[in-house]
Amino acid sequence: MIDPASVLAEFGVELPENTRISVWDSTAEVRYLVIPMRPENTEHLSESELQNLINRNSMIGTALATPVDEATP
Amino acid sequence: MSGVHDMGGLECYGPIEYETDEKFHNDWERQVLAITLAMGATGTWNLDQSRFSRESLEPSDYLSIGYYRIWLKALESLLLQHELVTQHELETGRSYSEPKQVKRVLKATDVAAVLKKGGPVSREVSHEPRFSIGDVVRVKNIHTPKHTRLPSYIRNHVGIVHAIHGAHVYPDAHAQGLGEDPQWLYNIKFQASELFGVPRSQHDFTHADCWEPYLEIHHG
């Protein structure tokens, strides 16, 4: 993928200019599990509250987890 | 095979049409998935042969008919090759010949268990891996008319062995019916600038999984 930052932008993900981007091309039968980056101010949250912050796209690397103040309970 | 399915590193297809969570757009697609899995389970061909069948479609079809029509056309082609159906039967939607015996039949009651079990392709081999983590390797400049999982955008490029996944069924041999021929599988880390030129950030990388026969030590 020549321009991953632009592809992510097509998914609505705008990353800061200095973000390091690693593309993992699944060329064999090995599959990779994406662990979304933990949003700020989530240290006090329970497991089910944290689950609220993730979605399909954040688990495949095309979205960030939802920030706490934008989450719907 | 160098073909239109090998899209890595191309930019000509425009932006991604982003969808939320649709698995099927039409009900017939569910049937195509079911028939494809059921016929795959008969053991008449293997996963890599079915991939090669999809890659062997007309390029204009491959790029235009959609995911499950690709599956259906490739399945029809395999059924014809293995004489499990005739062209006439496909065209008329009726069976005119005695059903042929297949190796295995996946019963509806077993589908959930079989899918849950999956089809692991990792294998034990007696020889050691040729490369170690950290080795600088070059992807060989291999061009084959047969099936391969070596994407063209990494051919002839230099990367570092990032991980060793163990030995896996080697698709290039498996797709030709030459047996599983397990080979060591490596995760190779490439600098984005090595693959796609400058200006690319020195901090951006692309990883791809490569079987041992795709690789050679780079003497740089």
Side-chain angles (χ1 to χ4, degrees):
Chain A
M1 193 187 298
I2 289 189
D3 187 3
S6 297
V7 173
L8 285 171
E10 288 166 15
F11 282 90
V13 182
E14 304 277 352
L15 295 174
E17 195 67 5
N18 59 357
T19 310
R20 282 190 299 129
I21 299 181
S22 283
V23 175
W24 288 67
D25 191 353
S26 184
T27 51
E29 296 305 306
V30 179
R31 298 293 175 264
Y32 298 100
L33 179 68
V34 178
I35 312 287
M37 193 163 61
R38 189 176 189 135
E40 285 178 359
N41 306 318
T42 55
E43 290 74 14
H44 60 290
L45 296 187
S46 68
E47 189 175 327
S48 63
E49 287 170 317
L50 285 170
Q51 274 178 21
N52 252 339
L53 305 181
I54 58 166
N55 55 54
R56 169 186 179 270
N57 280 5
S58 63
M59 298 299 292
I60 60 170
T62 58
L64 299 170
T66 314
V68 175
D69 52 3
E70 291 170 30
T72 44
Chain B
M1 181 172 65
S2 303
V4 290
H5 62 281
D6 187 9
M7 294 177 178
L10 297 187
E11 292 192 295
C12 53
Y13 294 108
I16 289 168
E17 283 184 32
Y18 169 63
E19 297 182 354
T20 47
D21 205 14
E22 292 88 350
K23 292 180 183 67
F24 301 100
H25 294 93
N26 301 287
D27 265 344
W28 62 262
E29 295 173 345
R30 297 170 193 273
Q31 288 174 293
V32 170
L33 172 62
I35 300 167
T36 303
L37 290 181
M39 285 314 300
T42 66
T44 314
W45 50 79
N46 62 49
L47 177 65
D48 297 300
Q49 288 167 322
S50 61
R51 282 212 175 93
F52 188 56
S53 182
R54 288 173 206 137
E55 294 164 8
S56 301
L57 296 179
E58 280 295 317
S60 55
D61 279 347
Y62 192 93
L63 292 174
S64 60
I65 63 180
Y67 189 79
Y68 280 109
R69 277 207 169 77
I70 290 176
W71 275 43
L72 180 59
K73 279 215 165 206
L75 176 64
E76 288 175 357
S77 161
L78 286 166
L79 289 168
L80 286 165
Q81 275 171 43
H82 291 272
E83 298 178 345
L84 291 170
V85 72
T86 65
Q87 188 66 42
H88 183 56
E89 287 172 326
L90 275 181
E91 282 162 11
T92 56
R94 291 189 53 176
S95 172
Y96 293 100
S97 39
E98 284 295 304
K100 259 179 115 170
Q101 284 292 319
V102 289
K103 279 189 232 168
R104 291 188 299 269
V105 174
L106 175 58
K107 301 262 192 323
T109 47
D110 299 333
V111 169
V114 168
L115 289 185
K116 194 172 178 195
K117 196 169 153 227
V121 292
S122 52
R123 299 289 182 267
E124 293 294 325
V125 290
S126 53
H127 61 280
E128 296 294 307
R130 198 177 143 208
F131 307 113
S132 310
I133 289 173
D135 279 355
V136 181
V137 289
R138 176 181 292 277
V139 179
K140 292 182 195 168
N141 192 13
I142 299 169
H143 295 250
T144 171
K146 305 280 175 61
H147 179 66
T148 185
R149 301 204 72 186
L150 169 57
S152 57
Y153 75 89
I154 62 171
R155 276 196 303 232
N156 219 10
H157 283 294
V158 173
I160 291 173
V161 175
H162 179 76
I164 305 178
H165 290 307
H168 284 221
V169 173
Y170 184 43
D172 302 47
H174 204 217
Q176 293 185 53
L178 300 176
E180 295 193 332
D181 189 19
Q183 301 283 347
W184 287 96
L185 180 68
Y186 304 85
N187 184 265
I188 309 298
K189 180 181 184 181
F190 302 92
Q191 283 213 313
S193 55
E194 160 74 13
L195 296 177
F196 304 123
V198 284
R200 307 282 157 198
S201 163
Q202 292 305 299
H203 305 293
D204 288 352
F205 293 92
T206 294
H207 293 248
D209 290 330
C210 297
W211 280 265
E212 195 166 275
Y214 298 171
L215 303 169
E216 61 195 9
I217 283 286
H218 175 59
H219 304 283

